Each structure stands twice: as C-alpha cells, then as structure tokens.
Amino acid sequence: MRCLGARMTSPDLPKIAVAETLAQNVASLDAGKLPPAVRRKCEELLIDVVGLAVTARNEDYTQSVLAACDDDGPCTAIGHARTLSAVAAALVNGTAIHGEDFDDTFEGGPVHAGAVIVPAVLAACERYARDGKAALLGIAVGVETMCRLSLVAPTLTHKAGFHPTAVFGTMGAAAGVGAALGLSQRQLVDALGNAGSMAGGIIEYLAEGAWTKRLHAGCAAQAGIRAALLGRAGFLGPRTVFEGVHGFFYAFARTSKGDFAAVIDGFGAQWVTPTLAFKPYPCGTMTHPYIDCARRLGRRVKADDVVEMVCDVGEGTVHRLWEPLAAKQHPANGYAGKFSTPYCIACGFVHGNVGLNDFSDDAVRDPAVLALAAKVRYRIDPQNPYPKNFTGHIRTTLRDGSVIEERQPHMRGGVQEPLTRADIEEKFFLNARHGGWSEQRAAAALKFIAGLFEGPVELTGLRQ
C-alpha cells in the first residue's frame, strides 16, 4: 500500500512547483491581517453577488438547475426555500449569479470571480460550520488566485476555445475553499492538483445563445469544493499542475511557457483583488465602453441619420463579440444579445441605457434597434490595449457626409472609475426588485450581509 505522505519525483521536474509556492503563501495568510482595501472589496462583492442571485432566482435557467439537483442538505440556495448539499448550493448560486452577466469582472483576465468564489466558499463554510473570518479569508484567497491565474497567458484560453471563468474559477475555488477550511500546505497542493482535472467550459454557447456560459460559474464553484475536500482527505494531485508539460496551461491555453510569476510573486503582500470592476450594464464586459459611447452619440444625432458606425476594437474580442457579424447584428435570442456588441451599441443609442429588460427574447427583436445594429461594424486596432484595459471608440458617418466620434478610455465601474458603495447598494436593490423581493425584504438582507464576516456563516436570512 502506498503511503499518503510519499510523493515520487522526477529529476526533470522543478524542485519547488508553482502550486507549492502558491500553497505556502495561502497557508500563511490570516484573515485578521488582510489589507482594508481587500476586506472592503470582499464586502462589496458579497453585496453584489447576493443581489444577482436574487435577480435570477425565478429565471428559467436557475429553476432548471435547481430542479436538476437531487441532493438536499443544509446549505442555502439564495432566494429559495429549498436547501441543498454544499456542492449543489454552489452550483445553483454560481449559475444564478453569473446568469445575467451582470457580475464583477477582473479586467486583466478577463474573469468573473465573484460568481465562482463566493458561492463555493459560503457553501463550504455553511456545511462545515466555519465562521465569517474563515469565509472572508476564503473569498480573498479564491478571488486573488483566480485573477492572478488569468494573467499567466492572457487571451490564450479564449483562443483555445475555453471560458476563462470556468477554468481559472475551478482553481480559484479550490484555493479559496481550502483556505476557508484550514487545509495544510500539502493538502492545498493536492487540492489544486485535483482541480486541474476538474476544470472545463467551452465557449460554443456563442453560436446560438445557449445557456452553458451561465452554468460555468456554478460548475467551477462545485468542482472547487470537491477538489478541496479531496485534498483534505489526502487524495494526491500533481504538484506541477500549472507548469507541467501536460499541465493546466498546456491543456487550456496551449502553452506551458506562461508568466507564472504573475501567480506567486507578492501573493499576500500585493493584491489585485481591490481592482475588481463592478458592472453598470448586464452584458459582456468588453461591450461596456462602446455602450457609453453609443449613449452619448444617441444624445447628439438621430438613428435615421446614421449611415454606419465603425468601432475600433481589440483583436482578442472579435471571435466572441463581433463574429459572425450578421448573427451579432441580429441576435438569435436575448442571451445572445448580451454577447453582441452591435446589439448593445444599438440598444444604448436608441433607448438611452441598457438594462436587464433589454435582453429578453422580445427585446432583441425591436425593429428600431435591429435597424441600427445592422449599420454597426468593426475594424481591428492593433494598438488597442485589451485585455489590460477595456476601451471604446465609435466613428459614426451621417447622411450629410459628416463624421462624429466618441471615445471611452476605460470601463466605468473599474479601477479608473469605480462604483461607490452607494452605487453597489443601489444596484443590489435594483436586482432584488427584479427578483421579486420587496424593499423591506431587500433592506433586511443587506443588513444581514453587512454582519456576515463577523459571526457564524449561517445563511437562513438569504433564503426565500
């Protein structure tokens, strides 16, 4: 019988692997010593994701996932009366939170951390009676790990056909749950090693607006819990999971030559978590600066006077948000509209804003919006800073031959123009109303959330 403490190593492998250094850094952290900016971002993240879970609680995709779960237990599905196992609660909550594409974004990745990490950590803490400090540490570690991993080989995961939130989220959730449950350094290494074989999430949802992107966050959250529990139980995972010749990045980014220093250098000392962006619009993040431009254009000219609108874009966004162009100009359904820059631009121009109700199947058939979307096209700007920064630029030609332009130098809600706590709470109330909660019910939930990191993780106040 093989001893659990033994690990065979090859002389060709690194003496200290990336996962081992990461695990050492994670294991040394103390929730009580987190920087104020990190704690503040985790508090804001909690407010945002709970509101998003509520806004989607009655949507058909959330109800489908809930109905598919056959493992009841003690854990909370936010906004629902039924309780579930930890992994099922993470699946339902993660899917709901990411469902309307209104959740936070890390611009360097890009990844959506809150929809994966918060459901995984809360479910694990609720199941295993961990307190709010453990939850805070787990969320901070999970978000930081997930975001840093997305910087190792930027854009290559998308180009390989995978959803970064799904693949990096699984690793981040394993680290976050591991931290919350107090795993040892060795157990964390095994948790990460095992998570590498659980990650996945293809982006074929783009073809016809299928629901699977919504599922990716929930799947990553539940897989992270499983991986952490396996690591805690001594199930061996490859310590070279990240940099190995058959490792995580080789599988999901087609390279093993990434910038692994982005993961481990300064972990726990310099944090990227405070730079998370909160979305002002419920659609693909890279469309946001273009929506801002379109709204300003809509205040300057009439849609009937527009001949064409040409957008300068980053090459890395084209295959998801622009092509095939004809399909993006006429989205197949409301969900497909969220990943169509032409539709989002036309919607912002015609309606003066873009909100939750603009992505129903009926809304994307609006003749006035579709007529303008048909006039929107793109050209690749080799100088575009994506993914380090999300920008917008629309050049509009009018019937009289004149040309007007609008530029947006950054994403509103991001590090250069962050939303305030009041903005985030206003968004929470908006989402809660959309999900059918009264103002009184939403206010009580907001008060409940405010104390979550100070006491036991007991989430009955967030049930139906």
Side-chain angles (χ1 to χ4, degrees):
M1 183 176 73
R2 186 179 178 186
C3 174
L4 288 178
R7 188 191 291 270
M8 297 178 65
T9 60
S10 164
D12 298 327
L13 297 178
K15 184 176 180 181
I16 300 176
V18 172
E20 291 175 312
T21 302
L22 176 60
Q24 182 180 26
N25 291 338
V26 169
S28 68
L29 292 175
D30 181 346
K33 297 180 181 179
L34 292 175
V38 173
R39 181 185 175 111
R40 185 163 56 249
K41 184 62 71 169
C42 291
E43 291 170 350
E44 293 171 346
L45 196 60
L46 193 58
I47 293 168
D48 197 49
V49 301
V50 171
L52 292 165
V54 174
T55 211
R57 70 191 183 109
N58 296 319
E59 298 296 333
D60 45 10
Y61 56 87
T62 303
Q63 292 296 322
S64 292
V65 175
L66 187 63
C69 295
D70 62 356
D71 46 343
D72 292 355
C75 297
T76 298
I78 297 170
H80 303 278
R82 182 183 170 194
T83 56
L84 301 164
S85 70
V87 290
L91 175 65
V92 172
N93 290 332
T95 302
I97 291 163
H98 191 47
E100 294 303 309
D101 231 80
F102 208 0
D103 48 329
D104 60 277
T105 298
F106 177 61
E107 294 176 81
V111 289
H112 306 283
V116 180
I117 305 304
V118 176
V121 171
L122 290 186
C125 288
E126 193 174 22
R127 169 65 179 83
Y128 294 102
R130 293 288 173 166
D131 64 13
K133 289 184 179 179
L136 173 60
L137 178 63
I139 291 170
V141 164
V143 170
E144 188 73 8
T145 300
M146 182 176 175
C147 292
R148 282 171 169 262
L149 284 170
S150 74
L151 299 175
V152 171
T155 76
L156 295 186
T157 304
H158 263 139
K159 286 182 179 179
F162 295 101
H163 184 193
T165 293
V167 296
F168 299 126
T170 302
M171 306 301 277
V177 171
L181 297 184
L183 268 61
S184 69
Q185 181 179 337
R186 169 60 185 274
Q187 290 170 330
L188 283 167
V189 171
D190 285 331
L192 292 166
N194 293 326
S197 288
M198 298 179 178
I202 61 174
I203 59 175
E204 184 59 16
Y205 62 84
L206 290 165
E208 296 175 323
W211 292 354
T212 47
K213 182 178 187 288
R214 291 166 161 147
L215 193 65
H216 289 168
C219 287
Q222 70 167 4
I225 294 174
R226 290 287 192 202
L229 294 178
L230 284 167
R232 187 173 71 167
F235 195 96
L236 298 183
R239 67 186 184 93
T240 52
V241 61
F242 293 124
E243 71 272 40
V245 295
H246 303 295
F248 181 81
F249 281 93
Y250 180 80
F252 293 114
R254 305 291 188 262
T255 184
S256 56
K257 306 294 184 183
D259 179 14
F260 295 106
V263 183
I264 53 179
D265 282 5
F267 192 103
Q270 293 89 41
W271 293 78
V272 302
T273 294
T275 68
L276 283 187
F278 291 107
K279 286 186 177 183
Y281 305 119
C283 52
T285 314
M286 286 72 75
T287 67
H288 287 211
Y290 296 94
I291 294 172
D292 286 340
C293 292
R295 292 178 66 190
R296 294 195 292 268
L297 286 167
R299 294 192 289 267
R300 297 174 64 184
V301 298
K302 295 179 180 179
D304 289 344
D305 292 333
V306 173
V307 174
E308 71 170 359
M309 303 173 78
V310 180
C311 303
D312 287 346
V313 305
E315 186 272 336
T317 70
V318 170
H319 71 290
R320 303 191 311 282
L321 300 174
W322 286 99
E323 289 291 351
L325 184 58
K328 296 297 185 181
Q329 291 170 333
H330 198 292
N333 55 34
Y335 192 54
K338 290 178 179 287
F339 313 106
S340 160
T341 311
Y343 173 78
C344 291
I345 284 172
C347 188
F349 186 109
V350 172
H351 296 158
N353 202 355
V354 175
L356 288 163
N357 292 330
D358 292 308
F359 296 101
S360 68
D361 291 348
D362 287 338
V364 296
R365 300 187 185 101
D366 184 332
V369 174
L370 292 177
L372 186 60
K375 301 176 183 180
V376 180
R377 62 182 182 88
Y378 72 93
R379 68 179 188 182
I380 294 173
D381 174 12
Q383 303 304 314
N384 189 285
Y386 174 83
K388 292 183 178 179
N389 186 31
F390 300 165
T391 63
H393 178 206
I394 304 178
R395 181 182 295 101
T396 303
T397 303
L398 303 179
R399 292 189 185 280
D400 63 5
S402 62
V403 176
I404 59 174
E405 298 184 58
E406 283 286 350
R407 296 177 183 270
Q408 178 66 23
H410 54 258
M411 175 191 170
R412 287 191 306 111
V415 67
Q416 298 181 68
E417 192 177 345
L419 299 187
T420 66
R421 176 66 70 94
D423 292 331
I424 294 165
E425 291 184 358
E426 181 181 356
K427 179 182 173 183
F428 172 85
F429 280 104
L430 179 153
N431 282 319
R433 286 195 300 272
H434 188 267
W437 274 9
S438 67
E439 293 291 312
Q440 183 179 11
R441 177 73 182 87
L446 189 60
K447 183 177 179 180
F448 180 86
I449 294 166
L452 189 62
F453 291 145
E454 299 301 329
V457 178
E458 194 277 322
L459 303 179
T460 55
L462 300 181
R463 296 176 189 171
Q464 186 175 7

